[in-house]
Amino acid sequence: MKQGLPTVLYGGDYNPDQWPETDWDDDIKVFKQADINSATINVFSWALLEPREGEYDFEKQDHIVAKLSQADFKIVMATSTAAMPAWMFKKYPDVARVDYQGRRHVFGQRHNFCPSSPNYRRLAGRLVDQLARRYAGNSHIVAWHVNNEYGGNCYCENCRRAFQEWLKQRYQTLDNLNQAWDNNVWSHTIYDWDEIQVPNELGDAWGAEGTHTIVAGLSVDYLRFQSDAMLSLYNLEKQTIEKYDKQTPILTNFHGTPNKWIDYHAWAKDQDIIAYDSYPAYDDPAYVAAFRYDLMRGLKHQPFMLMESTPSQVNWQPYSPLKRPNQMRATELQAVAHGADTVQYFQLKQAVGGSEKFHGAVISHSQRTDTRAFQEVARLGHDLKKTGADFKDAATPAKAAIVFDWSNFWAFEYVAGITQDLQYVPLILDYYRQFYQHQIPVDVIGVDDDFSQYDLIVAPVLYMVKKGLGEKISDYVQNGGHLLTTYASGMVDESDNVYLGGYPGPLSRVLGIWVEETDATVPGQTVKVAFDQSAQQYEGRLLCDQIHLTGSKTRALAHYASEFYAGTPAVVENIFGKGLAWYVGTRLDDQGLGKVIERVIDQTGLAGLTSQTTDLEITRRVKNGQELYFVLNLRNESRLLPTDLQQAGFVDILTGAAPKAKLEPWDVEILKRGMDQ
Amino acid sequence: MKQGLPTVLYGGDYNPDQWPETDWDDDIKVFKQADINSATINVFSWALLEPREGEYDFEKQDHIVAKLSQADFKIVMATSTAAMPAWMFKKYPDVARVDYQGRRHVFGQRHNFCPSSPNYRRLAGRLVDQLARRYAGNSHIVAWHVNNEYGGNCYCENCRRAFQEWLKQRYQTLDNLNQAWDNNVWSHTIYDWDEIQVPNELGDAWGAEGTHTIVAGLSVDYLRFQSDAMLSLYNLEKQTIEKYDKQTPILTNFHGTPNKWIDYHAWAKDQDIIAYDSYPAYDDPAYVAAFRYDLMRGLKHQPFMLMESTPSQVNWQPYSPLKRPNQMRATELQAVAHGADTVQYFQLKQAVGGSEKFHGAVISHSQRTDTRAFQEVARLGHDLKKTGADFKDAATPAKAAIVFDWSNFWAFEYVAGITQDLQYVPLILDYYRQFYQHQIPVDVIGVDDDFSQYDLIVAPVLYMVKKGLGEKISDYVQNGGHLLTTYASGMVDESDNVYLGGYPGPLSRVLGIWVEETDATVPGQTVKVAFDQSAQQYEGRLLCDQIHLTGSKTRALAHYASEFYAGTPAVVENIFGKGLAWYVGTRLDDQGLGKVIERVIDQTGLAGLTSQTTDLEITRRVKNGQELYFVLNLRNESRLLPTDLQQAGFVDILTGAAPKAKLEPWDVEILKRGMDQ
Amino acid sequence: MKQGLPTVLYGGDYNPDQWPETDWDDDIKVFKQADINSATINVFSWALLEPREGEYDFEKQDHIVAKLSQADFKIVMATSTAAMPAWMFKKYPDVARVDYQGRRHVFGQRHNFCPSSPNYRRLAGRLVDQLARRYAGNSHIVAWHVNNEYGGNCYCENCRRAFQEWLKQRYQTLDNLNQAWDNNVWSHTIYDWDEIQVPNELGDAWGAEGTHTIVAGLSVDYLRFQSDAMLSLYNLEKQTIEKYDKQTPILTNFHGTPNKWIDYHAWAKDQDIIAYDSYPAYDDPAYVAAFRYDLMRGLKHQPFMLMESTPSQVNWQPYSPLKRPNQMRATELQAVAHGADTVQYFQLKQAVGGSEKFHGAVISHSQRTDTRAFQEVARLGHDLKKTGADFKDAATPAKAAIVFDWSNFWAFEYVAGITQDLQYVPLILDYYRQFYQHQIPVDVIGVDDDFSQYDLIVAPVLYMVKKGLGEKISDYVQNGGHLLTTYASGMVDESDNVYLGGYPGPLSRVLGIWVEETDATVPGQTVKVAFDQSAQQYEGRLLCDQIHLTGSKTRALAHYASEFYAGTPAVVENIFGKGLAWYVGTRLDDQGLGKVIERVIDQTGLAGLTSQTTDLEITRRVKNGQELYFVLNLRNESRLLPTDLQQAGFVDILTGAAPKAKLEPWDVEILKRGMDQ
């Protein structure tokens, strides 16, 4: 059992090796002004640590570690394996990836190591061994940070061979493989494992990576393999570190919106703590970041680290307007509200060169502290110092869960037909947003999680239903659970072969329906949907299932109200065993989906954290029975605090005073019930 | 002389080798419920038939053939050469194409064999030999289906060498070649055949394939060569089959909108019957499918096979909404109306895997027959059974012809300047639509067809006028024919060299004009056009020719009415010998072009199949002097039957009753004159 | 010292080697009808001149030269090295470039020689030696035209090695290089020169060429290297010619809008005369062409050659509408107005083949002279013959200068963040347009030019400020100069490393400001800007600097009037020494920027060439103290001549009469003061 973090970390990536040693004291002085207590180091120092193969030079790193330790900083020690030195590319070209276009890359960029390269594995392993042996004893190290933001795929010959081995493990025989990929179609039968090709543009895939393929079974398996191969790299490093340090948590930093290429559910078990790099775009609604945090928290059902974020602007998004006054503080505290136990920035000191030189930092190019951005950093540091003990390790209880699954993500976006507009994440967000708007806490979970602890399982576009999952869902509802699912569900097995006998395949019984066929809306078109006992009409789009009710206790909650299928069911409710299941046959607009959710809330008894309507974000963390309500005004206008939160005797732990009735733009209150509660 | 089809085929692609043998009886039972009488088999079975080089296994195929024969199905026997087994790519990498980006592909996809690969030729030839020898005697086989949907180009070294040989045949000497390609420009002179490169992105071409090149003469020749090389593959298979079977028709299936890469006129002579795969997009107007059918019928001036079509949705178009009730039946009968003697689907049974698993089929994933789609399939089967004898082999007489030419297609889309919006097919469709709207039957013909049998030849954008074509056209008009042509005509010879002395080159005399220069309209701009004796103005765009009248009997029918050339001729009529010729100097809008067509109709005496204005589609097939009028309502609203078709004593052979005066949405009537007519 | 041009050249590219020798006399007769006195020959004749390596055949070229000499044409003799013969690619594949995608090209196209290919250098040098030796004595040759339109980059192994050598020259040590590129970031430290890779898609760059890179220092250096490598090719040819001819001017033709890949300031010193190929697009406002001419004139502060232009349409732009009547003449004279001493076309005779066969020419495909286009060519020939002596060698004095710098161009467009909309040229044009609209003459100059001769230096987006430039600017203002600069200035040094201590780095003192941070506007957003003592509001966009006034004599001229920074400075004026400096913190709209310019004009005393408001273009050339006012109506509507130009006793040298008070569409007057002035 690993130890946890000793305190709430406030800090982030610090690259003193880019600066003269004479700067370091001044840097630390500035950090302390902002109550920064932690630094992540050594993220990209391989070329300095190993200037020639096998020759290691830790002198500068020793100084850095000593300096930070002396200043009593908590150190997150990275392993430097995410950017390979130039000499490595030259000596061992196989360390570089072959891209989706079939081209071997050369020195440059980062995050471009081939996961199947024996040279990369050997050299990365040896570096980490040196590093871990050297620093394992340092008590200031509170976490080991393996590599950086794993992601992306390689399509080289080494990967092709490793993929063949991976397939042998998975399928045992070519008969099994040919059946799994339905290889009789288009004469794709494989007679020798070595005939198998990687699915890049020269083979079975085409168009943008991850979007089009001839054999979805093959292509989904390739993404599984790549995720596994990357995971084995991670574990190679992890196990090397554990030779020298069995206590300190080890992790890598997850990222993405979410990251399509890494199955984070599969990776989570090997992370001692989940760490996440959060970079919402200027035009992401607030619920999008909230969803990502809930996804991260759900990976281990534990608090996570906000490992990277920007104190001001990112530099690599299309547009990075300034964060408005107090916006930075509010959005960082949003992560805390959803379960973050750290606030860390990329980065602590802004570089003068490289592709991220215009990425914001605590110490900016001006190197001044009388800036708006630094003042906000310092204020937040003060806030965290004051309140950290209250929220650290606090849980975030939820009775509803939304299912997110990477195999499904991959398979669904490979679907050829009947509309080109199939994107997984936005369709999940449709549902997440509903609960967010009602201030109902949700977990975002995987298909292997325990459903029974939830009153409601929301599984939108559950296109791929792997072996056993249909039964698991049925049992859950049978025993009194509630299921909400949608169009494009229950269609294929884990090999992407369609379930025969009628959609939604293994979900048909629990839902009491048969979907005969499905209309695709075309650009500019929507289909009307009407709920019973309501004159108002809503709009469906994307897909419109033609639904037959087959269960004896199945009924339609809404019908289509246009097209030739006007009057047929659009939304269905089924009583199944002791539970209830809902099926939404089209992509309803926000208001229409709200009608469904009202019904679901009514039947499940789920309740929001306020009884009033508000567009403040309200979440809750609970520690030792003590509830903390995070109330965030994530917009540029003021908002009134719901009166039930005003009247309950709350104290705002940020101010120590009673909550203010009005939240200014980007204001935050963290409300704890007073002692008399 | 080959035999014809024994009956109207109703059926389509069937891949029982993707299914357990135990399913087959049930499948056939379902097909029979829909009056399906035919199956196309063995389209993609190479990997099963030849699991290792030279080892053939026909056992399963024998069972399939026996089963279908026993059920008295007509069999269309495909040759399986369109998708190569994985072992072939591994053993002989040259069988795969090198793409336009210069990359050799590997195993995957289909339709990706190099036409110049000696290994592919040898292995495909040997497979077909085995197949033809084995099944030649089976009387249920009514056609041999070679390969599948030929198309696309290869740019490999084998093709480069074969291209050089092809050029030697064509040009004999390098002097001829250098002149044909005007190689003195940009120092492109060739001194050795081996210096000639294929025109892909590494050489003289750039941008999307078929759109930009330095040397159009070279690039057009390369497309000619590739079409010829593919044709030689087809004939290799055809001749192999004919060693064993000289009676049964042999063909491949044409496709596309139309297919840009295959010169179907050059291919038609080697097809015993033309077969076409028809997949109109949801937003293609009805006349677009009609045009394609007329093009197919015109290739041999004979009825054709509707070889593929979908009973419900395709899966590979951007959007595939459900066909509305009765829409499928109507659109399939549209093909029949234009000359199809079969109705065949892709496919009879929907696959569970592969890239087309969501493509519609007669037996869908639900495997149920109580579906809307299956009921429509069965209804159409009944219709065809009832009426097939009436229309099979019937002609489709037309007195007007529209010229479509692949060399022109290629050359025109390679034009650099003076607007980037030059696309051949839409400009042809401008003219086709006019006749369609007037219910005037047209043939779509090639430049080598006999013009003299037509009262009107319509040759829009006849940019490339090969040797002798100018004279042929002049003679045609001289002798009383009528010619309608446009801007961008008569500009280059067959090598894409401009005719000197003034546009439209060899068409100048017959048209009585000289086009001095041409304006290009810019986005958002149109030019006004006014017809004499009419106050209304119409709009021209794309190109606006500056026309001088040079003939003594030439006159302007319309003038530009805006820009600095207002008042100059926009549409011209010329009396030439006993005939008349019209030149339309700009891309007129539909109404403006309608004015031209009115004049053309008036002067040629062409008449529509109804004297009334209607947006029903009306076509005619004639057999043994008996006329059949196909009246199709190809829209989602009801329409009245023109009264002249109501009053002529017609019988609707679909119902056996008098025609209904009102056609419901997607309704069809096939009217035969009653016995008293 | 080279001789100048003997007269105003009127002519252009002529390729008689594409035509039978029997045509040449007729061609020359036609040219003479248009007062054409010059021809540029031998631009693409390499394949004819050297049919096999080392075998030269000048017979045809001799005939051409003799024919033109006999007709007393001035000859611009090109060297033919811009398009390599096919045999060269076959024998020496390294002569072809490797592209940004990493692919070696083959024979085809033109302008595709690798600048580091030893074979190309050897063969090109030898050809030029032959050519120069042969024709050096011909007195009709008035200029040598080296190669053609240099541009584009190569990424081959030879270039990689040559780049490493170039870097050794520049940086001496790897320590210097690692520091210059800030290579500690992302572990990019180089330990061996040979580890350095070229920045194409396989290495550090991505996306469209010139837009995205990891290491801007590396990528900017690569563009410098490529520009230098190309220049060494130019000089190889130049020096070869000078072995035989030290009098006749030598040059190549510049092109582009402007050409991004060649640093024309670095090249200018080796050009005896600047020559420019001018192809404005149909939708380029008139000031865009004016800017390009001023840029060309500024390269050597001398008149230039209008080396190419079209007498009618170009063929390679997206849309090439006809030039309206008299438009061609007006736009050619616009070049003269800005300093051109020649008017030359591409080309004199239109080719029948090749990719430019639809590019306009003096002799068109019709080969007739009774065309509108030819008549305009002839009229302009007459104009030039009449007026050439008046303007040839005339200066174009200006008291204001706009700075344009290629290193800045490259660096600025590589910027990652904080908006993706950073394009250099449009932002320069914002400022150029202002002076154009006021008829104030400007020079466009480089950063190494002498500033002291100008009353005003305008340096928009001076992002990269190389060593010494900050001081040079400060000294200039200190001594009484006026500086106008903007957002995104003073940010990085010549290696693209950010200046620490606050933006705008070395410009901070002269401007009296500190830019704390910068907002990026998002699509659809603008920020309000208000000038003091004015109620009207203007709009800023792209970037909005947050400006602190730090100088004691600094004041804000305008403030932001929206967003959270409303009320803070948007436009600043600083008194520095004896001069004034202005800083514009956002991309102001045309009206808002006009307010700034009014202030600048007021303070600098700059005056337009008319005191009245007009949208006629008015420029001035001065020769021997005699002023010529070029008044151009560059639009399709008539305009009144400003009354101060009517009343000053001017004579229009085109007509010999007093100026007309009204200029018809596309009319031109060239006004010289009468003898009594």
Side-chain angles (χ1 to χ4, degrees), chain A residues 7-18:
Chain A
T7 184
V8 169
L9 303 187
Y10 189 50
D13 282 44
Y14 179 44
N15 295 296
D17 45 8
Q18 293 169 14

Side-chain angles (χ1 to χ4, degrees), chain C residues 63 177 195 229 260 262 277-278 377 421 450 517 603 618 642 647:
Chain C
H63 291 197
L177 175 131
E195 290 165 11
K260 182 162 177 176
I262 301 286
D277 298 350
S278 175
V377 166
D421 296 340
D450 175 18
E517 58 185 347
Q603 292 297 305
I618 305 177
Q647 296 162 351

Side-chain angles (χ1 to χ4, degrees), chain C residues 222-480:
Chain C
Y222 198 74
L223 294 179
R224 287 172 176 144
F225 155 69
Q226 283 279 317
S227 177
D228 283 358
M230 290 283 181
L231 179 57
S232 82
L233 285 186
Y234 168 82
N235 278 321
L236 167 76
E237 294 199 26
K238 188 182 188 209
Q239 287 153 14
T240 304
I241 296 166
E242 286 177 342
K243 290 198 311 189
Y244 305 100
D245 179 353
K246 295 193 167 40
Q247 273 70 51
T248 310
I250 304 175
L251 50 89
T252 187
N253 49 341
F254 291 173
H255 72 297
T257 64
N259 179 2
K260 182 162 177 176
W261 310 121
I262 301 286
D263 181 347
Y264 284 146
H265 283 117
W267 282 48
K269 66 179 187 308
D270 297 320
Q271 306 296 313
D272 293 323
I273 308 175
I274 299 296
Y276 182 59
D277 298 350
S278 175
Y279 294 108
Y282 80 91
D283 53 353
D284 281 333
Y287 68 84
V288 171
F291 166 76
R292 294 174 193 157
Y293 298 138
D294 287 351
L295 174 62
M296 288 300 125
R297 192 190 63 245
L299 293 176
K300 289 185 87 73
H301 297 270
Q302 286 175 8
F304 62 95
M305 298 170 76
L306 176 63
M307 190 70 158
E308 287 187 22
S309 58
T310 175
S312 54
Q313 289 155 304
V314 302
N315 76 310
W316 44 263
Q317 292 175 348
Y319 301 95
S320 296
L322 286 176
K323 293 188 185 168
R324 271 39 197 164
N326 298 314
Q327 179 176 357
M328 190 280 290
R329 175 175 173 264
T331 52
E332 300 292 290
L333 287 174
Q334 185 188 19
V336 173
H338 286 267
D341 273 0
T342 73
V343 173
Q344 292 162 281
Y345 298 115
F346 178 84
Q347 57 182 337
L348 296 190
K349 188 169 182 181
Q350 196 169 21
V352 299
S355 81
E356 296 186 314
K357 63 178 172 290
F358 292 116
H359 195 290
V362 171
I363 298 179
S364 68
H365 290 146
S366 74
Q367 308 203 321
R368 295 171 67 148
T369 58
D370 59 345
T371 63
R372 187 177 72 95
F374 185 83
Q375 294 305 320
E376 292 201 26
V377 166
R379 182 183 174 199
L380 179 56
H382 180 74
D383 291 336
L384 294 172
K385 195 173 175 182
K386 185 168 180 180
T387 64
D390 286 298
F391 67 76
K392 182 168 181 297
D393 301 322
T396 311
K399 299 306 293 172
I402 294 182
V403 173
F404 189 95
D405 179 56
W406 264 264
S407 282
N408 195 31
F409 191 174
W410 297 331
F412 184 67
E413 299 202 345
Y414 276 125
V415 168
I418 52 177
T419 164
Q420 66 181 3
D421 296 340
L422 300 181
Q423 289 186 286
Y424 183 57
V425 178
L427 303 179
I428 298 293
L429 285 170
D430 281 357
Y431 284 78
Y432 183 86
R433 182 179 56 231
Q434 290 291 332
F435 295 91
Y436 181 89
Q437 288 167 346
H438 284 86
Q439 288 83 35
I440 296 174
V442 298
D443 283 347
V444 180
I445 65 173
V447 293
D448 292 328
D449 270 292
D450 175 18
F451 292 175
S452 70
Q453 62 180 290
Y454 295 102
D455 292 340
L456 173 68
I457 296 293
V458 186
V461 284
L462 193 63
Y463 170 72
M464 176 175 276
V465 174
K466 67 176 183 178
K467 200 168 167 177
L469 181 57
E471 293 76 0
K472 175 177 171 175
I473 289 172
S474 293
D475 290 351
Y476 165 73
V477 180
Q478 181 80 48
N479 294 324

Side-chain angles (χ1 to χ4, degrees), chain A residues 101 182 184 186-188 191 194 201-204 214 416-418 420-421 496 498 501 503 516-519 563, chain B residues 17 47 83 86 90 103 105-106 108-110 282 313 315 318-322 324 352-353 355 357 365 371-372:
Chain A
Q101 288 74 41
D182 203 21
N184 277 1
W186 287 10
S187 192
H188 269 44
Y191 291 104
D194 189 38
E201 284 188 13
L202 307 182
D204 247 345
I214 297 302
I418 51 179
Q420 67 181 4
D421 296 340
D496 208 80
V498 173
Y503 316 127
E516 182 185 328
E517 56 185 349
T518 303
D519 201 16
E563 299 303 328
Chain B
D17 45 8
K90 185 180 163 197
R103 306 173 302 183
H105 281 229
V106 298
Q109 312 220 2
R110 60 169 184 173
Y282 81 90
Q313 289 156 303
N315 76 309
Y319 301 95
S320 295
L322 286 175
R324 271 38 198 163
V352 300
S355 81
K357 62 178 174 288
H365 289 145
T371 63
R372 187 178 72 96

Side-chain angles (χ1 to χ4, degrees), chain A residues 514-573:
Chain A
W514 166 43
V515 175
E516 182 185 328
E517 56 185 349
T518 303
D519 201 16
T521 61
V522 301
Q525 183 202 359
T526 57
V527 175
K528 299 288 179 200
V529 174
F531 283 79
D532 300 346
Q533 298 149 336
S534 163
Q536 198 181 337
Q537 292 192 339
Y538 303 92
E539 294 189 334
R541 60 193 171 95
L542 191 69
L543 297 171
C544 297
D545 283 339
Q546 311 297 298
I547 303 170
H548 298 268
L549 308 184
T550 58
S552 59
K553 298 176 180 168
T554 320
R555 69 187 185 96
L557 298 182
H559 294 86
Y560 296 109
S562 66
E563 299 303 328
F564 73 89
Y565 41 87
T568 70
V571 180
V572 167
E573 178 178 281

Side-chain angles (χ1 to χ4, degrees), chain B residues 147-338:
Chain B
N147 203 283
N148 192 64
E149 294 184 346
Y150 284 98
N153 301 304
C154 178
Y155 297 89
C156 76
E157 189 60 21
N158 281 332
C159 280
R160 192 168 82 92
R161 279 195 225 101
F163 180 47
Q164 290 162 356
E165 292 305 313
W166 184 93
L167 291 168
K168 280 184 206 169
Q169 293 297 320
R170 184 177 180 86
Y171 292 109
Q172 305 297 324
T173 70
L174 283 170
D175 276 355
N176 291 341
L177 175 131
N178 282 322
Q179 192 173 359
W181 294 354
D182 203 21
N183 270 340
N184 277 2
V185 177
W186 287 10
S187 192
H188 268 45
T189 311
I190 299 291
Y191 291 104
D192 184 330
W193 296 97
D194 190 39
E195 291 164 13
I196 297 166
Q197 293 286 352
V198 301
N200 70 354
E201 284 188 13
L202 307 182
D204 247 345
W206 76 95
E209 196 174 2
T211 64
H212 296 86
T213 182
I214 296 302
V215 183
L218 154 65
S219 289
V220 169
D221 275 346
Y222 198 75
L223 295 179
R224 287 173 177 143
F225 155 70
Q226 283 279 317
S227 177
D228 283 359
M230 290 283 182
L231 179 57
S232 83
L233 286 185
Y234 168 82
N235 277 322
L236 167 76
E237 294 199 26
K238 188 182 189 209
Q239 287 153 15
T240 304
I241 296 165
E242 285 178 342
K243 290 199 312 189
Y244 305 101
D245 179 352
K246 295 192 167 40
Q247 273 70 51
T248 310
I250 303 174
L251 50 88
T252 188
N253 47 343
F254 291 172
H255 72 298
T257 64
N259 179 1
K260 182 162 177 176
W261 310 120
I262 302 286
D263 181 347
Y264 284 147
H265 284 119
W267 281 49
K269 67 180 187 307
D270 296 321
Q271 306 296 314
D272 293 325
I273 309 174
I274 299 297
Y276 182 61
D277 298 351
S278 175
Y279 294 107
Y282 81 90
D283 53 355
D284 281 333
Y287 69 84
V288 172
F291 166 75
R292 294 174 192 157
Y293 298 140
D294 286 350
L295 174 62
M296 289 299 126
R297 192 189 64 244
L299 292 176
K300 290 184 85 72
H301 298 269
Q302 288 175 6
F304 63 94
M305 298 170 75
L306 176 63
M307 190 71 158
E308 287 187 21
S309 58
T310 174
S312 53
Q313 289 156 303
V314 301
N315 76 309
W316 44 263
Q317 292 175 348
Y319 301 95
S320 295
L322 286 175
K323 292 187 185 170
R324 271 38 198 163
N326 298 313
Q327 180 177 356
M328 190 279 289
R329 175 176 172 264
T331 53
E332 299 292 290
L333 287 174
Q334 186 188 20
V336 173
H338 286 268

Side-chain angles (χ1 to χ4, degrees), chain A residues 108-376:
Chain A
Q109 311 219 2
R110 60 171 184 174
H111 302 167
N112 51 357
F113 42 85
C114 165
S116 309
S117 159
N119 288 308
Y120 177 76
R121 297 181 76 92
R122 176 172 52 79
L123 291 163
R126 213 162 60 182
L127 175 74
V128 174
D129 190 280
Q130 292 277 332
L131 188 83
R133 188 184 327 172
R134 188 170 201 92
Y135 298 115
N138 185 309
S139 65
H140 287 87
I141 295 178
V142 297
W144 294 92
H145 170 309
V146 171
N147 201 284
N148 192 63
E149 295 186 344
Y150 285 98
N153 301 303
C154 178
Y155 297 90
C156 76
E157 189 60 23
N158 281 332
C159 280
R160 192 170 81 92
R161 279 194 226 102
F163 180 47
Q164 290 162 356
E165 293 306 313
W166 184 92
L167 290 168
K168 279 184 206 168
Q169 294 295 321
R170 182 176 180 88
Y171 293 110
Q172 306 296 325
T173 70
L174 282 170
D175 276 355
N176 291 342
L177 174 130
N178 282 321
Q179 192 172 358
W181 293 354
D182 203 21
N183 271 339
N184 277 1
V185 176
W186 287 10
S187 192
H188 269 44
T189 311
I190 299 292
Y191 291 104
D192 184 331
W193 295 98
D194 189 38
E195 291 164 12
I196 296 167
Q197 294 287 352
V198 300
N200 70 354
E201 284 188 13
L202 307 182
D204 247 345
W206 77 96
E209 196 174 3
T211 65
H212 295 88
T213 182
I214 297 302
V215 182
L218 154 65
S219 288
V220 169
D221 275 346
Y222 198 75
L223 295 179
R224 287 172 175 143
F225 156 70
Q226 283 280 318
S227 177
D228 283 359
M230 290 282 181
L231 180 56
S232 83
L233 286 186
Y234 169 82
N235 277 321
L236 167 76
E237 293 198 27
K238 187 183 189 207
Q239 288 153 15
T240 303
I241 296 166
E242 285 177 343
K243 289 198 312 190
Y244 304 101
D245 179 353
K246 294 194 169 38
Q247 272 70 51
T248 310
I250 304 174
L251 50 90
T252 187
N253 48 342
F254 291 172
H255 72 298
T257 64
N259 180 1
K260 183 162 176 176
W261 310 121
I262 301 286
D263 181 347
Y264 284 148
H265 283 118
W267 281 49
K269 65 180 189 308
D270 296 320
Q271 307 296 313
D272 293 323
I273 308 175
I274 298 297
Y276 182 60
D277 297 351
S278 176
Y279 294 108
Y282 81 90
D283 54 354
D284 281 333
Y287 67 85
V288 171
F291 166 75
R292 294 173 192 158
Y293 298 139
D294 287 351
L295 174 61
M296 288 299 126
R297 191 189 64 245
L299 292 175
K300 289 185 87 74
H301 297 269
Q302 285 175 9
F304 62 96
M305 299 170 76
L306 176 64
M307 190 71 159
E308 287 187 22
S309 58
T310 174
S312 55
Q313 289 156 303
V314 301
N315 75 310
W316 44 264
Q317 292 175 349
Y319 302 95
S320 296
L322 286 175
K323 293 186 185 170
R324 271 40 198 162
N326 298 314
Q327 179 177 356
M328 190 280 290
R329 173 174 174 265
T331 52
E332 300 292 291
L333 287 174
Q334 185 188 21
V336 173
H338 286 267
D341 272 1
T342 73
V343 172
Q344 292 161 280
Y345 298 116
F346 179 85
Q347 56 182 338
L348 296 191
K349 187 169 183 181
Q350 197 169 21
V352 300
S355 81
E356 296 186 316
K357 64 179 172 289
F358 293 116
H359 195 290
V362 172
I363 298 179
S364 69
H365 289 145
S366 74
Q367 308 204 322
R368 295 171 65 147
T369 56
D370 59 347
T371 63
R372 187 177 72 95
F374 185 83
Q375 294 306 319
E376 292 201 26

